[in-house]
């Protein structure tokens, strides 16, 4: 059974992990908070141990125990798939607010009460971002920073120039890259057998497998989309975005707030190719089908 190990001492182990998936294949993954990290970590744990961990705090414990076992493997000739999963900044921040502030978790972390408004949360994020980027030090890897600050600020070692060959995978485009990543990473059997208990992509996971892309069954989940299927999914996705649009309209109604978030997350827009947004005018959403197609044309031909 293969295990997970930490990368070289030059890269903080909390930011990126190297996973041996068998057949001399390694996955160098970077999974930022609020970008699908919980379910993807649980899949990697299942693949490396065969156990469905009820507590993801064991993720780092398992990595530390496995580090020594891979000292020699790291020096061997191998094939490595390196990627980071990114998420549109506007939706990522709103998700963090709804999931962490409104539930009271942030009150335990930094004292922000659960009845704090979204604008109050943004103000705190702005102050933290300014502090963490003002003195030239490595940003603190606190729970608040992981979930609320820009990925490009907290997970800096996952990005160029430190990792110029790492693929940027948009969480919003997961149906397009899922099969390719699982097949290239050599974790097909685990993806077909493991069903995470957490919610996946906004809905209760009733699948018998890790993830079932739209228009797929578990049995066909590892078959990449054809061009026709991609177009059909994008059309369906944009037409079914009423809930997301309603939330964005509610919390980003103030254009000044939108501009403030845009400024805070400017590093993420530059690093991951997301377009800056001008607010929910005319029912628009930050990542529409045309944006996903531009990402696909830039990334998918090179993802093997």
């Amino acid at each position: 059974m293969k295990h997970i190990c930490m990368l070289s001492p030059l890269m903080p182990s909390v930011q990126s992990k190297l996973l041996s998936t068998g057949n001399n294949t390694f996955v160098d993954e970077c999974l930022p908070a609020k970008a699908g990290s919980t379910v993807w970590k649980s899949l990697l744990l299942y693949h490396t141990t065969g156990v469905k961990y009820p507590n993801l705090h064991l993720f780092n414990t398992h990595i530390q125990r496995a580090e020594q076992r891979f000292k020699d493997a790291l020096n061997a000739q191998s094939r490595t798939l390196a990627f980071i999963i990114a998420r549109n900044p506007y939706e990522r921040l709103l998700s963090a607010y709804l999931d962490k502030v409104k539930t009271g978790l942030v009150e335990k972390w930094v004292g922000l009460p659960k009845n704090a408004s979204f604008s109050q949360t943004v103000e705190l994020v702005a102050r933290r971002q300014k502090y963490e980027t003002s003195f030239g030090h490595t940003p603190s890897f606190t729970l608040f920073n992981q979930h609320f600050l820009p990925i490009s600020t907290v997970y800096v070692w996952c990005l160029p120039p430190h990792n110029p060959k790492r693929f940027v995978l948009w969480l919003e485009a997961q149906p397009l890259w899922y099969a390719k990543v699982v097949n290239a990473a050599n974790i097909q059997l685990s993806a077909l057998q493991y069903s995470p208990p957490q919610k996946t992509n906004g809905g209760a996971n009733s699948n018998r497998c890790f993830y079932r892309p739209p228009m797929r069954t578990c049995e066909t989940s590892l078959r990449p989309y054809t061009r026709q299927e991609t177009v059909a999914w994008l059309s369906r996705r944009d037409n079914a975005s009423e809930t997301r649009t309603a939330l964005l309209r509610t919390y980003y109604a103030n254009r000044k707030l939108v501009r403030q978030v845009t400024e805070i997350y400017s590093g993420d827009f530059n690093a991951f190719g997301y377009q800056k947004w001008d607010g929910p005018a005319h029912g628009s959403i930050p990542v529409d089908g045309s944006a996903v197609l531009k990402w696909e044309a830039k990334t998918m031909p090179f993802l093997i």
Side-chain angles (χ1 to χ4, degrees), residues 69-101:
R69 304 181 187 184
F70 278 85
K71 293 289 186 180
D72 295 331
L74 284 172
N75 297 322
Q77 187 177 14
S78 61
R79 184 167 57 95
T80 301
L81 171 67
F83 65 87
I84 180 172
I85 299 180
R87 186 176 184 181
N88 180 270
Y90 304 106
E91 296 200 33
R92 179 171 177 263
L93 177 58
L94 179 55
S95 175
Y97 170 74
L98 296 174
D99 188 37
K100 305 303 180 185
V101 175

Tab-separated table of all heavy atoms in Angstrom, residues 69-101:
chain	number	residue	atom	x	y	z
A	69	ARG	N	9.357	7.129	4.564
A	69	ARG	CA	9.234	6.015	3.629
A	69	ARG	C	9.482	6.447	2.186
A	69	ARG	O	9.728	5.626	1.318
A	69	ARG	CB	7.834	5.395	3.738
A	69	ARG	CG	7.487	4.947	5.147
A	69	ARG	CD	6.111	4.316	5.174
A	69	ARG	NE	5.694	4.035	6.551
A	69	ARG	CZ	4.573	3.407	6.857
A	69	ARG	NH1	3.766	2.996	5.905
A	69	ARG	NH2	4.256	3.185	8.113
A	70	PHE	N	9.383	7.773	1.943
A	70	PHE	CA	9.513	8.228	0.567
A	70	PHE	C	10.814	8.958	0.282
A	70	PHE	O	10.974	9.553	-0.762
A	70	PHE	CB	8.320	9.107	0.204
A	70	PHE	CG	7.134	8.286	-0.174
A	70	PHE	CD1	6.295	7.804	0.794
A	70	PHE	CD2	6.880	7.966	-1.492
A	70	PHE	CE1	5.210	7.023	0.462
A	70	PHE	CE2	5.799	7.188	-1.835
A	70	PHE	CZ	4.951	6.715	-0.852
A	71	LYS	N	11.762	8.908	1.205
A	71	LYS	CA	13.050	9.547	0.964
A	71	LYS	C	13.697	8.987	-0.299
A	71	LYS	O	14.223	9.715	-1.131
A	71	LYS	CB	13.974	9.342	2.166
A	71	LYS	CG	13.527	10.058	3.428
A	71	LYS	CD	13.701	11.558	3.314
A	71	LYS	CE	13.385	12.235	4.630
A	71	LYS	NZ	13.541	13.696	4.561
A	72	ASP	N	13.657	7.670	-0.436
A	72	ASP	CA	14.275	7.031	-1.601
A	72	ASP	C	13.396	7.170	-2.840
A	72	ASP	O	13.889	7.366	-3.948
A	72	ASP	CB	14.539	5.550	-1.324
A	72	ASP	CG	15.554	5.356	-0.213
A	72	ASP	OD1	16.426	6.245	-0.054
A	72	ASP	OD2	15.472	4.336	0.481
A	73	ALA	N	12.074	7.085	-2.642
A	73	ALA	CA	11.172	7.140	-3.788
A	73	ALA	C	11.259	8.475	-4.506
A	73	ALA	O	11.107	8.556	-5.734
A	73	ALA	CB	9.737	6.873	-3.336
A	74	LEU	N	11.502	9.551	-3.758
A	74	LEU	CA	11.582	10.865	-4.367
A	74	LEU	C	12.752	10.983	-5.325
A	74	LEU	O	12.728	11.776	-6.260
A	74	LEU	CB	11.711	11.935	-3.278
A	74	LEU	CG	10.430	12.259	-2.525
A	74	LEU	CD1	10.732	13.183	-1.358
A	74	LEU	CD2	9.422	12.901	-3.434
A	75	ASN	N	13.783	10.177	-5.090
A	75	ASN	CA	14.972	10.228	-5.940
A	75	ASN	C	14.849	9.317	-7.156
A	75	ASN	O	15.699	9.342	-8.048
A	75	ASN	CB	16.213	9.835	-5.126
A	75	ASN	CG	16.472	10.822	-4.003
A	75	ASN	OD1	16.291	12.012	-4.179
A	75	ASN	ND2	16.890	10.309	-2.855
A	76	ALA	N	13.818	8.495	-7.170
A	76	ALA	CA	13.646	7.569	-8.286
A	76	ALA	C	13.025	8.282	-9.481
A	76	ALA	O	12.348	9.291	-9.346
A	76	ALA	CB	12.747	6.402	-7.864
A	77	GLN	N	13.271	7.755	-10.665
A	77	GLN	CA	12.676	8.322	-11.870
A	77	GLN	C	11.176	8.044	-11.830
A	77	GLN	O	10.755	6.907	-11.653
A	77	GLN	CB	13.297	7.700	-13.121
A	77	GLN	CG	12.851	8.366	-14.407
A	77	GLN	CD	13.556	7.765	-15.616
A	77	GLN	OE1	14.156	6.707	-15.513
A	77	GLN	NE2	13.475	8.440	-16.742
A	78	SER	N	10.364	9.073	-11.963
A	78	SER	CA	8.927	8.886	-11.808
A	78	SER	C	8.171	9.876	-12.677
A	78	SER	O	8.729	10.819	-13.224
A	78	SER	CB	8.520	9.071	-10.339
A	78	SER	OG	8.843	10.377	-9.909
A	79	ARG	N	6.864	9.660	-12.771
A	79	ARG	CA	5.968	10.534	-13.512
A	79	ARG	C	5.113	11.286	-12.498
A	79	ARG	O	4.509	10.676	-11.616
A	79	ARG	CB	5.078	9.691	-14.436
A	79	ARG	CG	4.152	10.483	-15.343
A	79	ARG	CD	3.571	9.559	-16.410
A	79	ARG	NE	2.865	8.441	-15.814
A	79	ARG	CZ	1.552	8.415	-15.596
A	79	ARG	NH1	0.823	9.458	-15.912
A	79	ARG	NH2	0.980	7.356	-15.077
A	80	THR	N	5.077	12.621	-12.602
A	80	THR	CA	4.384	13.427	-11.600
A	80	THR	C	3.336	14.314	-12.259
A	80	THR	O	3.607	14.996	-13.240
A	80	THR	CB	5.374	14.314	-10.819
A	80	THR	OG1	6.345	13.483	-10.189
A	80	THR	CG2	4.649	15.123	-9.760
A	81	LEU	N	2.133	14.293	-11.688
A	81	LEU	CA	1.058	15.193	-12.086
A	81	LEU	C	0.923	16.252	-10.995
A	81	LEU	O	0.611	15.933	-9.852
A	81	LEU	CB	-0.257	14.424	-12.238
A	81	LEU	CG	-1.519	15.274	-12.450
A	81	LEU	CD1	-1.467	15.982	-13.800
A	81	LEU	CD2	-2.777	14.421	-12.321
A	82	ALA	N	1.198	17.514	-11.321
A	82	ALA	CA	1.137	18.594	-10.339
A	82	ALA	C	-0.045	19.505	-10.651
A	82	ALA	O	-0.200	19.962	-11.784
A	82	ALA	CB	2.438	19.401	-10.356
A	83	PHE	N	-0.882	19.774	-9.642
A	83	PHE	CA	-2.033	20.639	-9.878
A	83	PHE	C	-2.435	21.368	-8.608
A	83	PHE	O	-2.092	20.971	-7.492
A	83	PHE	CB	-3.224	19.841	-10.421
A	83	PHE	CG	-3.799	18.822	-9.458
A	83	PHE	CD1	-4.764	19.190	-8.533
A	83	PHE	CD2	-3.385	17.502	-9.491
A	83	PHE	CE1	-5.296	18.262	-7.651
A	83	PHE	CE2	-3.911	16.562	-8.615
A	83	PHE	CZ	-4.884	16.944	-7.691
A	84	ILE	N	-3.164	22.458	-8.799
A	84	ILE	CA	-3.800	23.194	-7.713
A	84	ILE	C	-5.252	23.426	-8.123
A	84	ILE	O	-5.537	23.729	-9.280
A	84	ILE	CB	-3.086	24.542	-7.435
A	84	ILE	CG1	-3.787	25.288	-6.291
A	84	ILE	CG2	-3.021	25.415	-8.678
A	84	ILE	CD1	-3.033	26.533	-5.825
A	85	ILE	N	-6.171	23.228	-7.184
A	85	ILE	CA	-7.577	23.501	-7.459
A	85	ILE	C	-7.885	24.918	-6.978
A	85	ILE	O	-7.687	25.249	-5.809
A	85	ILE	CB	-8.498	22.492	-6.759
A	85	ILE	CG1	-8.195	21.074	-7.267
A	85	ILE	CG2	-9.962	22.834	-7.026
A	85	ILE	CD1	-9.060	20.001	-6.626
A	86	ALA	N	-8.341	25.761	-7.902
A	86	ALA	CA	-8.671	27.155	-7.592
A	86	ALA	C	-10.184	27.345	-7.655
A	86	ALA	O	-10.911	26.516	-8.224
A	86	ALA	CB	-7.977	28.099	-8.572
A	87	ARG	N	-10.634	28.440	-7.080
A	87	ARG	CA	-12.057	28.763	-7.107
A	87	ARG	C	-12.219	30.258	-7.298
A	87	ARG	O	-11.406	31.047	-6.801
A	87	ARG	CB	-12.730	28.324	-5.797
A	87	ARG	CG	-14.245	28.492	-5.770
A	87	ARG	CD	-14.818	27.936	-4.495
A	87	ARG	NE	-16.285	28.001	-4.476
A	87	ARG	CZ	-17.045	27.585	-3.460
A	87	ARG	NH1	-16.480	27.077	-2.383
A	87	ARG	NH2	-18.366	27.673	-3.533
A	88	ASN	N	-13.261	30.647	-8.015
A	88	ASN	CA	-13.485	32.068	-8.248
A	88	ASN	C	-13.527	32.822	-6.924
A	88	ASN	O	-14.228	32.419	-5.995
A	88	ASN	CB	-14.806	32.269	-8.995
A	88	ASN	CG	-15.082	33.726	-9.263
A	88	ASN	OD1	-15.704	34.407	-8.457
A	88	ASN	ND2	-14.593	34.216	-10.388
A	89	PRO	N	-12.762	33.908	-6.784
A	89	PRO	CA	-12.649	34.610	-5.499
A	89	PRO	C	-13.962	35.088	-4.910
A	89	PRO	O	-14.165	35.014	-3.695
A	89	PRO	CB	-11.736	35.789	-5.841
A	89	PRO	CG	-10.910	35.316	-6.983
A	89	PRO	CD	-11.836	34.461	-7.793
A	90	TYR	N	-14.879	35.596	-5.740
A	90	TYR	CA	-16.141	36.104	-5.213
A	90	TYR	C	-16.951	34.988	-4.553
A	90	TYR	O	-17.497	35.150	-3.459
A	90	TYR	CB	-16.968	36.748	-6.323
A	90	TYR	CG	-16.254	37.848	-7.064
A	90	TYR	CD1	-15.774	37.643	-8.360
A	90	TYR	CD2	-16.046	39.096	-6.479
A	90	TYR	CE1	-15.115	38.644	-9.052
A	90	TYR	CE2	-15.383	40.111	-7.162
A	90	TYR	CZ	-14.916	39.869	-8.447
A	90	TYR	OH	-14.255	40.863	-9.136
A	91	GLU	N	-17.021	33.845	-5.209
A	91	GLU	CA	-17.795	32.732	-4.670
A	91	GLU	C	-17.061	32.055	-3.524
A	91	GLU	O	-17.689	31.589	-2.565
A	91	GLU	CB	-18.115	31.744	-5.791
A	91	GLU	CG	-19.011	32.326	-6.868
A	91	GLU	CD	-19.715	31.263	-7.686
A	91	GLU	OE1	-20.028	30.198	-7.122
A	91	GLU	OE2	-19.950	31.498	-8.874
A	92	ARG	N	-15.742	31.991	-3.608
A	92	ARG	CA	-14.968	31.361	-2.522
A	92	ARG	C	-15.132	32.150	-1.225
A	92	ARG	O	-15.332	31.562	-0.158
A	92	ARG	CB	-13.494	31.268	-2.921
A	92	ARG	CG	-12.604	30.642	-1.850
A	92	ARG	CD	-11.204	30.379	-2.372
A	92	ARG	NE	-10.345	29.860	-1.330
A	92	ARG	CZ	-9.505	30.589	-0.609
A	92	ARG	NH1	-9.379	31.895	-0.851
A	92	ARG	NH2	-8.768	30.054	0.339
A	93	LEU	N	-15.031	33.466	-1.290
A	93	LEU	CA	-15.171	34.291	-0.093
A	93	LEU	C	-16.578	34.197	0.473
A	93	LEU	O	-16.765	34.066	1.693
A	93	LEU	CB	-14.828	35.745	-0.416
A	93	LEU	CG	-14.999	36.743	0.736
A	93	LEU	CD1	-14.146	36.345	1.932
A	93	LEU	CD2	-14.653	38.156	0.274
A	94	LEU	N	-17.588	34.229	-0.386
A	94	LEU	CA	-18.962	34.123	0.085
A	94	LEU	C	-19.205	32.754	0.725
A	94	LEU	O	-19.860	32.652	1.772
A	94	LEU	CB	-19.940	34.349	-1.066
A	94	LEU	CG	-21.432	34.244	-0.719
A	94	LEU	CD1	-21.804	35.184	0.417
A	94	LEU	CD2	-22.285	34.533	-1.955
A	95	SER	N	-18.656	31.711	0.133
A	95	SER	CA	-18.793	30.366	0.703
A	95	SER	C	-18.148	30.294	2.077
A	95	SER	O	-18.701	29.690	3.011
A	95	SER	CB	-18.160	29.336	-0.237
A	95	SER	OG	-18.190	28.043	0.343
A	96	ALA	N	-16.983	30.914	2.231
A	96	ALA	CA	-16.311	30.925	3.531
A	96	ALA	C	-17.150	31.664	4.568
A	96	ALA	O	-17.262	31.237	5.723
A	96	ALA	CB	-14.936	31.579	3.396
A	97	TYR	N	-17.757	32.772	4.158
A	97	TYR	CA	-18.601	33.543	5.072
A	97	TYR	C	-19.808	32.718	5.540
A	97	TYR	O	-20.086	32.620	6.738
A	97	TYR	CB	-19.083	34.822	4.386
A	97	TYR	CG	-20.142	35.567	5.159
A	97	TYR	CD1	-19.805	36.283	6.306
A	97	TYR	CD2	-21.474	35.560	4.742
A	97	TYR	CE1	-20.774	36.969	7.033
A	97	TYR	CE2	-22.445	36.243	5.464
A	97	TYR	CZ	-22.089	36.944	6.600
A	97	TYR	OH	-23.053	37.611	7.325
A	98	LEU	N	-20.508	32.111	4.605
A	98	LEU	CA	-21.705	31.347	4.946
A	98	LEU	C	-21.368	30.099	5.758
A	98	LEU	O	-22.110	29.708	6.669
A	98	LEU	CB	-22.456	30.952	3.677
A	98	LEU	CG	-23.021	32.104	2.833
A	98	LEU	CD1	-23.603	31.594	1.530
A	98	LEU	CD2	-24.067	32.883	3.630
A	99	ASP	N	-20.224	29.487	5.456
A	99	ASP	CA	-19.862	28.216	6.084
A	99	ASP	C	-19.120	28.396	7.404
A	99	ASP	O	-19.210	27.541	8.291
A	99	ASP	CB	-19.003	27.407	5.104
A	99	ASP	CG	-18.752	25.995	5.601
A	99	ASP	OD1	-19.655	25.403	6.202
A	99	ASP	OD2	-17.635	25.489	5.387
A	100	LYS	N	-18.381	29.485	7.551
A	100	LYS	CA	-17.526	29.640	8.731
A	100	LYS	C	-17.973	30.762	9.667
A	100	LYS	O	-17.909	30.611	10.888
A	100	LYS	CB	-16.074	29.882	8.294
A	100	LYS	CG	-15.513	28.808	7.368
A	100	LYS	CD	-15.578	27.423	7.982
A	100	LYS	CE	-15.009	26.368	7.027
A	100	LYS	NZ	-15.184	24.990	7.573
A	101	VAL	N	-18.400	31.894	9.115
A	101	VAL	CA	-18.833	32.996	9.981
A	101	VAL	C	-20.236	32.728	10.532
A	101	VAL	O	-20.469	32.802	11.744
A	101	VAL	CB	-18.809	34.342	9.224
A	101	VAL	CG1	-19.375	35.465	10.106
A	101	VAL	CG2	-17.390	34.685	8.794
